Amino acid sequence: MKIGFYGNANNYPFMLARAVQRLGHEVVFLIASRERLNRPENLYGEITLPYPPWIIDVSHRFRWHCLVPGLGRHKVLEQLNACDAVILNEEGPALAPQLRVPYAVLLTGSDVEVFANPALAASLRPQAFKRPVWARDLSRRILPVSLILRQLIRPQRAGIKGASTVAFLPEGLVPNADRLLKEIGVTPEQRIGVQFTDCGLAPYTPPALNATVRIFSATRLTWLAEPGTGLTPLDLKGSDIMLRGLGEFWRKTRQPLDIHLVKKGRHVAQTMELAAQLELTDQITWHEEMNQREVLVQFRAADIVFEQLGQSAVGMAGLDAMSTGRPLIANGRPEIFEPLTGQSSPIRQARTAEAVCAQLTELVFSSPKRLKVGLASRGYVEAHFSAESAARRLVTALAGSANSMPGHS
């Protein structure tokens, strides 16, 4: 099959596209965003400019130019309709009415909780767009963001509803998104739960065994609810819980740590202030925002990694850390994943500062324990969260849809 892709939030769809290629299918991948995190060269060192022929850059300074009538949209639709099937991400579902081929949607959060959510668009304040991830590269000088969103919501919802397959996080992880998908009309038969990473990109690496245990978190420092800003529960990462747990560990043990954090997210300044209150400033090394390849280097250098501790979901960063063989402290939502996988998760479960401190106490003082947890983490990700497994499921679903289309022989 020839499969087209549109939308690339954090390179998640591109990771899937590479897995589809490894299964032997042809891929056409359209790059619609100029934001660094949404471009393949940010993650894959062998992808350089100019792109190879199968990657087509359709990005524009007006982020959503492909959604309005004109040459940009014509070029996108021409490429997608020349495929046997299409996988849409971000604002891609809004293009669905102009598609003549079967399509699936791969949802990553904002494409349903923001772009398909009329209640959120109605609640936005004028100053809401200083730093939300999904709004960074909008061309506010061309059209007000709130107007763009209101025009996008109807076709986005229709595109999601009409998809042959709706791939998203397992049901129960994001209750508001679950509610929206049911409201849109997505049926249980349409929806599949997927979460994956490229295990080959994050190979197992023996433990770092630093003299002072090194802690790393790549998760956005976004943890304060701000009504009217477009933040959703998926955006709130519980970074304050991580810091308070680290502070509790320091208070109880007086064991210094080598903590590495990234200046990324809405609440960097508040995080620094909290760190000072907890007497952690001297233990923290701050990094500027980095590309995804640099994040993988940091995982290999770390002894222990943190991910989200709120009511969000462990994402690609956490899965990559586990794939590398690093113990992960996070709220891994075991109540959702253990019934799905049939296996106890090796994620060191924490959703409170006290639990963070307890997990650190167990891991920091035992390198054999860190090795054991890291090996189990690698095996767990390979068994349940490989990109190849997700690719097989989606390709099979799309092939079935293509075969059932009128005129197919």
Side-chain angles (χ1 to χ4, degrees):
M1 290 180 71
K2 181 179 181 181
I3 300 178
F5 285 77
Y6 178 98
N8 190 33
N10 288 356
N11 272 312
Y12 197 60
F14 193 81
M15 189 177 292
L16 180 71
R18 299 265 296 206
V20 169
Q21 285 181 321
R22 289 194 291 271
L23 295 179
H25 300 280
E26 183 181 355
V27 166
V28 173
F29 202 96
L30 304 186
I31 303 295
S33 171
R34 294 187 176 181
E35 186 176 357
R36 186 173 67 164
L37 281 175
N38 297 343
R39 298 182 71 87
E41 63 270 24
N42 183 59
L43 179 58
Y44 291 90
E46 71 273 23
I47 302 295
T48 58
L49 297 174
Y51 288 134
W54 64 279
I55 304 174
I56 302 171
D57 192 344
V58 296
S59 65
H60 189 275
R61 63 188 181 88
F62 174 36
R63 171 67 177 86
W64 289 337
H65 78 292
C66 294
L67 300 184
V68 297
L71 185 61
R73 185 169 74 171
H74 176 78
K75 179 180 179 180
V76 165
L77 293 172
E78 185 177 48
Q79 291 288 343
L80 295 179
N81 280 317
C83 298
D84 298 308
V86 170
I87 295 175
L88 303 171
N89 175 242
E90 295 188 287
E91 73 276 8
L95 293 168
Q98 286 79 44
L99 291 178
R100 300 188 299 271
V101 296
Y103 69 94
V105 296
L106 174 64
L107 302 176
T108 45
S110 61
D111 32 26
V112 59
E113 289 210 275
V114 178
F115 304 159
N117 187 353
L120 183 139
S123 73
L124 292 174
R125 302 197 308 261
Q127 65 271 36
F129 300 98
K130 293 179 181 177
R131 286 187 64 81
V133 175
W134 49 269
R136 282 180 180 173
D137 58 356
L138 297 179
S139 299
R140 295 190 294 276
R141 291 172 295 179
I142 298 175
L143 286 173
V145 172
S146 58
L147 177 60
I148 295 172
L149 284 179
R150 289 186 178 95
Q151 295 300 314
L152 172 62
I153 285 168
R154 181 175 293 178
Q156 183 82 353
R157 288 167 71 95
I160 293 171
K161 182 178 180 178
S164 63
T165 302
V166 177
F168 189 45
L169 293 168
E171 190 165 1
L173 269 181
V174 192
N176 187 56
D178 294 341
R179 177 190 62 79
L180 281 166
L181 290 175
K182 290 177 182 177
E183 178 185 290
I184 288 167
V186 174
T187 66
E189 292 74 25
Q190 281 176 280
R191 182 171 174 178
I192 62 172
V194 297
Q195 196 172 16
F196 56 85
T197 193
D198 186 341
C199 294
L201 192 65
Y204 177 81
T205 307
L209 298 177
N210 295 291
T212 301
V213 170
R214 181 167 173 147
I215 306 292
F216 179 64
S217 176
T219 305
R220 300 179 193 278
L221 299 173
T222 300
W223 45 277
L224 291 167
E226 297 179 1
T229 62
L231 290 176
T232 70
L234 271 179
D235 296 313
L236 302 178
K237 305 300 184 182
S239 314
D240 57 326
I241 298 171
M242 173 185 67
L243 274 187
R244 293 185 192 281
L246 288 163
E248 182 74 1
F249 176 80
W250 170 240
R251 186 184 67 81
K252 285 185 174 180
T253 68
R254 308 314 287 181
Q255 173 69 40
L257 298 171
D258 182 18
I259 303 167
H260 291 253
L261 301 178
V262 183
K263 295 178 184 176
K264 176 180 175 182
R266 289 182 69 98
H267 304 126
V268 173
Q270 294 91 331
T271 303
M272 290 180 172
E273 181 180 347
L274 180 58
Q277 293 172 11
L278 296 168
E279 301 180 352
L280 291 173
T281 300
D282 292 345
Q283 298 181 49
I284 297 177
T285 298
W286 286 97
H287 298 263
E288 299 300 324
E289 287 196 40
M290 57 186 72
N291 65 37
Q292 290 163 306
R293 296 193 308 277
E294 292 167 331
V295 169
L296 292 173
V297 172
Q298 290 294 330
F299 289 151
R300 292 193 289 271
D303 296 291
I304 300 168
V305 175
F306 274 91
E307 237 258 21
Q308 77 90 25
L309 294 156
Q311 286 300 309
S312 182
V314 168
M316 199 165 69
L319 294 178
D320 283 346
M322 296 174 73
S323 180
T324 307
R326 297 299 174 263
L328 185 72
I329 299 176
N331 181 5
R333 309 294 295 278
E335 73 280 6
I336 303 292
F337 283 103
E338 291 188 3
L340 289 174
T341 63
Q343 180 181 350
S344 179
S345 169
I347 293 174
R348 307 306 290 179
Q349 175 64 21
R351 60 181 60 158
T352 66
E354 294 75 18
V356 168
C357 178
Q359 295 290 7
L360 285 169
T361 302
E362 187 173 349
L363 291 170
V364 168
F365 298 109
S366 176
S367 57
K369 182 70 172 181
R370 297 198 300 272
L371 172 62
K372 180 179 179 181
V373 174
L375 287 168
S377 297
R378 171 69 186 192
Y380 181 76
V381 171
E382 284 183 315
H384 301 294
F385 298 97
S386 73
E388 283 80 6
S389 176
R392 287 189 193 95
R393 294 176 70 189
L394 278 167
V395 168
T396 299
L398 285 169
S401 300
N403 290 338
S404 65
M405 290 190 72
H408 180 83
S409 57

